[in-house]
Amino acid sequence: MKTWLQRNLKGDPILWAIVLLFSFISIAVVYSATGTLAYKKMDGNTEHFLFKHSALIFVGLGFMWLAHRIDYRYYSRLALYALLVSVPLLLFTYLMGSSINEASRWLTIPVINQTFQPSDLAKLALISHLASMLSRRQQHLQDFWTTLFPVMLWVGIICGLIALTNASTSSLLFATCLLLMFIGRVPLKQMLVMVIIGVTVGGAALASGQRWKTVQSRLENFSDPTKKTPFQLEHSYIAIATGGIAGKGPGKSTERNILPHPYSDFIYAIIIEEYGLLGGAVVLFLYLAFLYRGLKTVMNSYGAFGGLLSAGLSFSLVLQALVNMGVAVGLGPITGLPLPLLSMGGTSLIFTGISIGIILAVSRGEREVRPMTGEPDDTARIPSQRAAYA
């Protein structure tokens, strides 16, 4: 058994364990949180969402396994093509996509009738391509036209298109790109230019898109203490307050019947209500452990591309988790972002699985693989990596 696992599950074993633990927690919590939804849409068949979500979890794990078996440097080639596909998909979604909650973020895939968010593909493609561009330009970081301009162009296009329908996802992706640029040693002056351009482009896209009034309302509710607490947050606070230290117990949440989207946007409140502050602390610890293992992969990666790729994907997932949990406890305005690895989802679980699979691919010990012609220079390392191998 041990030999089979070693042969088929490559990469960081602790990262594998964290992901599998998240999967079991997700199945248990989503099963509890979808009870009311089952009575509304499935005539009380509570097992429907259990089996559906479990199947999607296993599909996501399958894609993660496939992604981790591929030499990570191939993703440098695929990233640009994925970006070129993402641009028309994002435009088509904005103009003709399925509208939910006054935002056109989804495309319906024919035959299987499953919704798909092109922003998931665009996020993965942009982070991968940005890691590739920065790794290739480690010797030309001071050159505006060689380094910053292509980075600025792609970040501006993708984040701007996403901002037309999803301000929170766009903002989080932009913050991840800035973190990646910082790790990639881009000069602070160039990063400041990037921030100015990003705020300008993002603001223009938001003002002309579908979510300006919603964003404005949420920011006002969060910043003005005299305004009434929004309905979602009020019941999120109740769930957290009544959970206590040890929680009410699995499946015993009452706020799951009141909270909007308790299985996605506010699943962290349900976790605390059922498993208490201890359960909430365990989930937070798992995300921080995930980030630590992802950054450890950065330290151990041979080339700059692998390190930047692992850092970008790790930060992207964990930042989204921290924002979601922060919203549930009142530390930020409502965003509508799901909790990665735990919330009920569709194709987003597949893209999350692919992202983690790529991190695992970087951690596989790819230094033994011969360099591939035309790929990012594997001899270029960021300073932390040089220190790791000194």
Side-chain angles (χ1 to χ4, degrees):
M1 182 65 176
K2 184 178 180 181
T3 304
W4 184 90
L5 289 174
Q6 290 174 339
R7 189 170 58 249
N8 289 276
L9 303 182
K10 304 287 186 178
D12 187 346
I14 298 178
L15 200 53
W16 273 106
I18 292 171
V19 173
L20 291 175
L21 187 54
F22 268 129
S23 299
F24 290 125
I25 294 173
S26 177
I27 291 172
V29 178
V30 168
Y31 179 46
S32 173
T34 51
T36 301
L37 185 66
Y39 278 96
K40 287 181 179 179
K41 294 191 174 183
M42 304 306 301
D43 297 325
N45 182 10
T46 55
E47 281 72 29
H48 170 82
F49 291 105
L50 170 65
F51 293 133
K52 180 181 178 181
H53 182 63
S54 299
L56 286 169
I57 287 282
F58 282 109
V59 170
L61 290 173
F63 274 92
M64 183 176 76
W65 182 85
L66 289 173
H68 105 288
R69 300 287 296 184
I70 300 172
D71 188 321
Y72 76 89
R73 288 171 293 180
Y74 282 109
Y75 295 112
S76 174
R77 296 176 179 176
L78 297 173
L80 179 58
Y81 297 113
L83 274 180
L84 294 174
V85 170
S86 297
V87 172
L89 281 178
L90 288 170
L91 282 171
F92 183 80
T93 304
Y94 171 62
L95 296 173
M96 304 180 65
S98 302
S99 181
I100 301 176
N101 295 329
E102 301 179 354
S104 301
R105 301 174 185 170
W106 291 265
L107 290 179
T108 302
I109 302 173
V111 183
I112 64 174
N113 198 33
Q114 179 68 50
T115 56
F116 157 65
Q117 284 198 66
S119 60
D120 291 329
L121 173 63
K123 283 193 300 182
L124 179 58
L126 180 59
I127 291 171
S128 301
H129 189 56
L130 181 55
S132 178
M133 286 190 291
L134 290 175
S135 67
R136 293 176 186 273
R137 294 164 172 82
Q138 283 294 293
Q139 307 304 321
H140 307 282
L141 294 174
Q142 301 291 337
D143 190 328
F144 176 87
W145 292 105
T146 301
T147 302
L148 183 63
F149 181 74
V151 169
M152 177 183 67
L153 184 66
W154 277 116
V155 173
I157 290 173
I158 298 299
C159 290
L161 288 174
I162 294 176
L164 291 171
T165 59
N166 194 334
S168 51
T169 297
S170 176
S171 301
L172 204 61
L173 180 58
F174 184 69
T176 302
C177 291
L178 289 177
L179 274 171
L180 203 52
M181 292 170 67
F182 178 77
I183 296 171
R185 299 189 299 152
V186 173
L188 292 178
K189 288 191 295 185
Q190 293 196 18
M191 290 184 62
L192 180 60
V193 173
M194 186 72 193
V195 170
I196 294 171
I197 293 173
V199 170
T200 303
V201 172
L206 184 60
S208 60
Q210 302 170 342
R211 304 295 285 172
W212 171 245
K213 290 183 179 179
T214 301
V215 171
Q216 191 176 27
S217 172
R218 288 176 174 176
L219 289 175
E220 288 176 355
N221 286 332
F222 177 72
S223 59
D224 189 351
T226 62
K227 286 185 176 273
K228 188 179 184 301
T229 304
F231 179 83
Q232 304 102 305
L233 277 182
E234 183 178 356
H235 286 277
S236 178
Y237 296 161
I238 293 172
I240 292 170
T242 56
I245 300 297
K248 298 177 179 177
K252 295 182 179 179
S253 166
T254 54
E255 291 302 316
R256 64 181 175 176
N257 301 319
I258 304 171
L259 260 172
H261 309 296
Y263 42 81
S264 57
D265 299 1
F266 287 92
I267 195 169
Y268 190 61
I270 303 302
I271 290 172
I272 296 179
E273 184 181 9
E274 293 191 347
Y275 299 93
L277 291 176
L278 292 176
V282 168
V283 169
L284 176 59
F285 171 78
L286 287 175
Y287 279 115
L288 295 178
F290 181 96
L291 179 61
Y292 172 75
R293 300 308 299 185
L295 295 181
K296 195 170 181 63
T297 298
V298 175
M299 295 292 294
N300 294 333
S301 64
Y302 177 69
F305 174 60
L308 291 169
L309 183 60
S310 179
L313 295 175
S314 299
F315 275 120
S316 175
L317 289 170
V318 177
L319 280 177
Q320 180 174 331
L322 293 176
V323 169
N324 176 282
M325 292 186 287
V327 169
V329 300
L331 295 179
I334 297 172
T335 61
L337 290 170
L339 190 58
L341 293 168
L342 289 180
S343 291
M344 185 173 75
T347 53
S348 62
L349 289 172
I350 294 175
F351 284 102
T352 299
I354 294 172
S355 298
I356 299 171
I358 295 173
I359 298 172
L360 287 166
V362 177
S363 72
R364 279 174 51 194
E366 62 285 354
R367 287 186 297 154
E368 299 175 1
V369 181
R370 287 185 298 175
M372 301 190 315
T373 304
E375 295 309 308
D377 182 11
D378 287 327
T379 63
R381 302 176 190 165
I382 54 181
S384 60
Q385 291 168 306
R386 290 198 188 97
Y389 287 95

